[in-house]
Amino acid sequence: MLSLSASADEGMWLLPLLQKMNADPMAALGCRLTPEQIYSVNHSSLKDAIVHFGGGCTGEMISDKGLLVTNHHCGYSNIQALSTPEHNYLEDGYWAMSNAQELPAPGLSVTFLKGMTDVTDRLNKAYETALKKNKNAADKEAIAEKARQDEADAIRAEAAKTNPNCTFSITSFYNQNVYYLIIYKTYTDVRFVGAPPASSGKFGGETDNWMWPRHTCDFSMFRVYAGKDNEPAAYSKDNVPYQPVQSLKISLKGIQDGDFAMIMGYPGSTQRFQTAAQLDKMLALNDIRIDARTLRQDIMWDAMEADPTVRLQYANKYASSANGWKKWIGMRQAFANLGIIDREKAEEAEYSAWISGNKKRKAAYGEALSQIEDAVVTTKDAGLADTLLNETVGRVEILSFASSFSRALSTALRSQKDTAAAINSAIETVARQFKDYSEPLDRKEAVALFGSYVEKAAAENQIASLKKASQGDMEAFVNSLFDATVYTSEKKMKDAASKGLAAFILDPTYRLLVEFSNKANEIIPIAESKDEQLAKASKAYTAGLLEWKKGQPSYPDANSTMRLTYGTVKSYEPKDGVLYKYYTTLDGVMEKEDPNNYEFHVPAKLKEIWQKKDFGDYAMPENGKVPACFLINCDITGGNSGSPVMDADGNLIGLAFDGNWESMSSDVMFEPDLQRCICVDIRYVLLLMDKFGGAGYLRDEMTIVK
């Protein structure tokens, strides 16, 4: 099934299959590394320098003292959490000048891949044996699935005997047609080393997000700590910098159009095996998200512009919301411009014709497409309703505080019988969230979001109290709710604690939460009612596609497992008469500067460095300019943020941080002429660290290649 040839630039390739599938094409493009140097279980290799950062991004080790670099937007929430109005590391930047000044980042972890092993045959054999043994049982499939899970448990147990301090995942690929045992090791003592101010790390803001040309110095640095045995350990002042098996060398050689480039990282999710019906539903769900987030973000932005404290409190909330929002807008446009759904329908017609010509194929795959469509159509309205509910009512923060309190209280009551103590414990859990909360902003959002839900929800999905409020004065209803509730501050909650549990569960916000939850519990079972049918049909459909396209490039959808993608440095033509050069420079930062626009502020010190041309060895020798960002045609998606961009020898030349606007349909179809990965040049990163941040001592840890 997997003996397929590889394309030069498309594909998120599985590391254990590089020798079989990618060695020759990579070498033909100019790669000078062997697959064993990239991925090895028995020897150190490049994969040992790559980490899953915080569970949603990628990072890489750049010294033998645990120094790690990733994107600024990947460290954004951690930097924001460490910031205060007095010490605003997000706005002002920060650089630790010694290990002692590195700031612990609670809750942050990094995970190393130790190895991947194909266990498909073992799991399938267990399933088939149990199925055959119980062929007359009414629940034979359930028995067989239990046997598969038991075998998976046995595989994990075997791996645990020889891999201490690791975790073990049985992960499916190709819609449950292939399974791998994946072994990970996670470190939880991670400390913030430094980052440029947001004016550089997020230069261009949402205006430039997903756009080219780009001038964002999107990086931050952290350090991984371990116990004295170099193994994972909880935070302790006695921990020492982790010594990685391998770290990346830093290249200052620069890049040229056509140079080989590759990326290793943890792409999150793609949909390249979905049908036209599924894609149509996806767009409909995205439309709901776009409308709701537009409403909320406009209110949030106005509040952030008016008050620096609110800007700090909501910086991460806004960025997290807006990133998906803009991508979905671009996706809708790209789908239309490129005819994505019509192309998918045409492929499905060809696929169906291939199936119909063979009895065996018809028996194996013939019903898959119709079953997928039935599952999608049957559950579409409920899925839309669930999304609307969560993107509007579910975004009002006092409801999330009430929900957090309820969950924390239930947990506390399971471990202690003293209700008063349990209440206080639950309050402490919620209180941490008030640091980044503005009640006036939440009120404004509630008026708009409650009103939007009532306006758009079908009659059967209305929440009674909100429907009633909409018939009068929604703003008055919201103000009454916020005035009466205890879920707007730690002080209110602590004051209410003396009145006992009734003060919390009879609270108007809690009662609204109950209505919200009851409505969700009506909708979700319908939305999920065809999940089993959809999973089985998708498995059959994907298996059929792989057989139909045998001999053509194929790789599984992204699923947050480590992948490799490769291609070249490359410009592109977005439309007739327009050519986008493959790199930008610091000059472009100065050209974009707008002191009246928060997204395009330029720090005075950076302007001084630029004016004096104090670039050190970070400038391009051919023109004396500092490179900012560059383009490659590698295949990436969300989760690849922070991934190392490496040259033909595996040296670090930049960090991947974005895709381009013209290819926002790339999670579904790769467009070789248009799809580009936007990367920050490592020389710009080092300039900001060294010349701007004054942390040049960190360079001494690195291995520099010139």
Side-chain angles (χ1 to χ4, degrees), residues 208-214 327 330-331 334 570-574 580 631-634 636 657-666 671-678:
D208 272 6
N209 194 13
W210 304 108
M211 297 294 182
W212 184 262
R214 198 67 171 275
K327 180 178 181 178
M331 184 180 291
K570 196 169 186 178
S571 57
Y572 74 106
E573 299 180 42
Y580 279 153
L631 295 171
I632 56 178
N633 62 357
C634 294
I636 56 103
F657 73 90
D658 214 350
N660 60 319
W661 185 251
E662 295 81 8
S663 66
M664 288 293 93
S665 58
S666 62
E671 300 290 337
D673 292 335
L674 291 176
Q675 186 161 334
R676 296 293 182 269
C677 171
I678 302 174

Side-chain angles (χ1 to χ4, degrees), residues 508-550:
T509 295
Y510 193 88
R511 294 199 300 269
L512 180 57
L513 175 66
V514 171
E515 285 189 85
F516 171 88
S517 299
N518 288 341
K519 186 56 60 180
N521 289 336
E522 291 176 15
I523 296 170
I524 291 173
I526 302 172
E528 297 178 348
S529 61
K530 294 282 188 174
D531 281 3
E532 184 176 350
Q533 174 180 314
L534 182 61
K536 288 183 177 180
S538 295
K539 179 178 180 178
Y541 172 59
T542 303
L545 283 175
L546 291 170
E547 183 180 336
W548 180 39
K549 296 190 174 184
K550 189 173 182 179

Side-chain angles (χ1 to χ4, degrees), residues 187-392:
Y187 288 76
T188 57
D189 186 354
V190 184
R191 306 181 195 182
F192 177 46
V193 174
S199 52
S200 293
K202 199 173 171 55
F203 182 77
E206 292 310 316
T207 300
D208 272 6
N209 194 13
W210 304 108
M211 297 294 182
W212 184 262
R214 198 67 171 275
H215 301 83
T216 310
C217 198
D218 197 344
F219 84 100
S220 56
M221 290 185 180
F222 293 78
R223 194 182 302 278
V224 182
Y225 280 75
K228 293 181 180 179
D229 58 358
N230 210 40
E231 290 295 306
Y235 170 79
S236 168
K237 61 182 178 59
D238 296 324
N239 286 349
V240 296
Y242 168 69
Q243 297 177 26
V245 175
Q246 183 151 327
S247 58
L248 300 183
K249 297 177 182 178
I250 311 295
S251 174
L252 299 184
K253 292 180 180 179
I255 56 169
Q256 300 296 327
D257 200 5
D259 282 355
F260 176 85
M262 65 180 176
I263 287 174
M264 293 174 71
Y266 287 85
S269 177
T270 54
Q271 300 83 40
R272 293 180 183 172
F273 289 92
Q274 288 203 7
T275 67
Q278 290 173 296
L279 297 178
D280 182 71
K281 180 180 178 179
M282 180 180 72
L283 291 181
L285 293 171
N286 288 348
D287 285 345
I288 291 172
R289 296 181 180 115
I290 291 167
D291 289 346
R293 294 192 184 195
T294 299
L295 186 65
R296 181 171 179 246
Q297 287 167 198
D298 286 348
I299 296 169
M300 203 185 302
W301 184 258
D302 288 344
M304 292 167 68
E305 286 282 85
D307 188 339
T309 298
V310 176
R311 181 182 297 283
L312 176 58
Q313 290 174 321
Y314 282 78
N316 186 58
K317 296 175 186 177
Y318 184 88
S320 297
S321 175
N323 190 56
W325 165 81
K326 189 166 184 180
K327 180 178 181 178
W328 296 323
I329 292 173
M331 184 180 291
R332 167 64 76 175
Q333 181 177 314
F335 265 59
N337 291 345
L338 300 172
I340 297 296
I341 291 182
D342 285 343
R343 287 161 62 185
E344 177 60 33
K345 287 179 178 178
E347 183 175 77
E348 288 173 21
E350 293 180 29
Y351 173 74
S352 297
W354 171 77
I355 289 173
S356 65
N358 182 285
K359 289 183 179 180
K360 185 177 179 180
R361 294 197 292 258
K362 195 170 183 179
Y365 317 125
E367 301 298 320
L369 274 172
S370 61
Q371 289 175 350
I372 290 173
E373 184 170 9
D374 172 70
V376 169
V377 171
T378 302
T379 61
K380 183 176 180 178
D381 287 346
L384 297 175
D386 182 50
T387 300
L388 176 63
L389 180 64
N390 283 287
E391 288 284 342
T392 53

